[in-house]
Amino acid sequence: MGQEITRGLLLMNSRNELIKLIKERAYRKGEFKLSSGKTSEHYINCKPVTLEGEGLHLITYLMKKLIDTKVVAGLTLGADPLVAGVALTMQCSGLIVRKEPKGHGTGAWIEGPLPLEATKITVLEDVTTTGGSAIKAVNRLREAGYSVDRVVTIIDREEGAVEKMKENGLELCSILTLKDLL
């Protein structure tokens, strides 16, 4: 019982520390166009947090609680540090999904140690608005013969991604929501 309480407090403290880092280094208020095409007064660029040791350590600690596979993947560029951090922390494999096929060599869409067909993979993402980027990665992985049913994100902006994921047979798990930062 004491260990469960200690783990719960550690999880809560890690989450609170991540909120603090994101507010300081990744969150901006103004008028911004998002990758989804929508405009928003809230902009979150997690790269200053994910590309720094303290932030990536917190994120991977919190993400691994939501991952139930031995392989993780994500769409380049936002997911690159997440995939590497989780692969290192969990001692699992990581894959990077390209936005365009490689322009030379094999023309690959997916980079990394390719697992056996039908392997279950969790897709990672930094910020989720409508879910379009993560679904793009999921579709590439499914086309390659892999099984994907979960996307884990740092922040869900709560602008329709959960519903869009469900339509695509996916569960969206987030560490934080935009409301946590406001």
Side-chain angles (χ1 to χ4, degrees), residues 36-90:
S36 65
K38 292 183 173 189
T39 56
S40 175
E41 66 180 78
H42 306 285
Y43 181 68
I44 308 160
N45 174 10
C46 284
K47 288 167 204 69
V49 179
T50 62
L51 291 169
E52 177 272 327
E54 178 187 12
L56 185 58
H57 177 76
L58 284 169
I59 291 164
T60 56
Y61 171 75
L62 293 164
M63 275 193 162
K64 73 181 185 179
K65 308 290 185 193
L66 304 172
I67 298 168
D68 65 350
T69 60
K70 297 289 184 192
V71 182
V72 294
L75 191 67
T76 200
L77 176 77
D80 292 1
L82 303 176
V83 169
V86 168
L88 175 66
T89 302
M90 293 183 66

Side-chain angles (χ1 to χ4, degrees), residues 25-38:
R25 302 176 189 172
Y27 173 80
R28 300 288 175 265
K29 190 167 181 164
E31 190 172 322
F32 304 95
K33 185 174 182 179
L34 308 176
S35 64
S36 65
K38 292 183 173 189

Side-chain angles (χ1 to χ4, degrees), residues 18-19 22-23 27 44 155 176-182:
L18 180 59
I19 290 170
I22 290 173
K23 282 181 174 182
Y27 173 80
I44 308 160
I155 301 169
L176 305 171
T177 66
L178 179 60
K179 288 178 190 164
D180 293 320
L181 303 179
L182 303 179

